[in-house]
Amino acid sequence: MPNFHTCIAMLCGLVLQANAMAETVRIFNWEEYLAPDVIAAFERESGHKLEQFYLDNEEQRDALILSGRGANFDLVIIDSQSLKTEGKKAYFATLPMAQIPNSQHLSPALQQACGNKGLAYSWGTIGVAYRASANPQGIDSWASVFAIEPANQYKTVMLSDSVDSTALSLIALGLPPYSVDKNHLKQAYALLQQQKAYLHSYGYGLSYVIDKQAASDITMAVTYSGDIKHFISASGQQDWRYSIPKEGTIIWTDCLAIPHRTGAIKKATLAFLNFINRPDIALLNAQTSGLATPNLGALALADDSYSKDDELFPSPQVLANSHYAQSLPNEQLKLRSRMLQKLNQSE
């Protein structure tokens, strides 16, 4: 029988071995897009650590990926259409699904949107966050976003995303959001120019509110479904509302993807991907973060207060009137990027 000192030595050895096996998962993510309780549970159950770095817009993320610096991260949140773009998908690893058994709980349709290089993480709509005190009649049209009324002038934040901003301006004009017609794009640019004159800024409205908190002075922002609870909690302004304009909107799917890097994919990264797709964890994450989960196992556990939330799960009529995000050829992406750059540079 081993003596006391031998047992202590063995125990210390096991602790040191566990510490040596522990890894840190570095995620490039949106703010408020991963529940703190989920992070704590993962670190507690796995022994690994999780570190987040925040992005402000998709073009910042894309520039980082295309520069090769995405390899500094273990996971990146990326929209499905970008993940499938020829110029970007080569920068991500094909996922070993057999090592992520909980991926079986994902909706086949939403997982298909991410392909074999991403795991579906959330889905939703682009809409308008607005303060009811400044907009007592509500916001029900994209016209209010592009022809900004006095109550919202210089207090409106527009997404700094060339594809989405152009798509929304095309929808406002009654044109196909992913049109490649030059005349359509000229009209979209003119509408964006009109809007630019009365904007507060381009960016992610939620990041601005989180930064300014109660001092936030904006009254309208183009944003994503699920963000409103964070607008309210960060600012203390209880009158924030979310609207999908009557002309329809864009339906997006976000994916978790692994940037290419030297060496094998970290065991901790695969452990996290499996953990986040465990139905109870997926539900906790979605409810806390205000996300629409693609995890069917999580939905089976959810109560009506979540599964019938029409901000997260729009009616069939809204969905039928909207457009699923699409990939565009590289030359079209460059054109839209130049449009936004020119708008940002204009006085």
Side-chain angles (χ1 to χ4, degrees), residues 143-155:
S144 297
V145 174
F146 290 98
I148 302 174
E149 297 175 358
N152 300 310
Q153 287 179 2
Y154 314 112
K155 298 179 179 180

Side-chain angles (χ1 to χ4, degrees), residues 36-52:
D37 285 349
V38 169
I39 296 172
F42 171 70
E43 292 183 340
R44 183 173 61 250
E45 292 188 24
S46 70
H48 301 302
K49 295 293 181 185
L50 192 144
E51 190 174 2
Q52 290 195 90

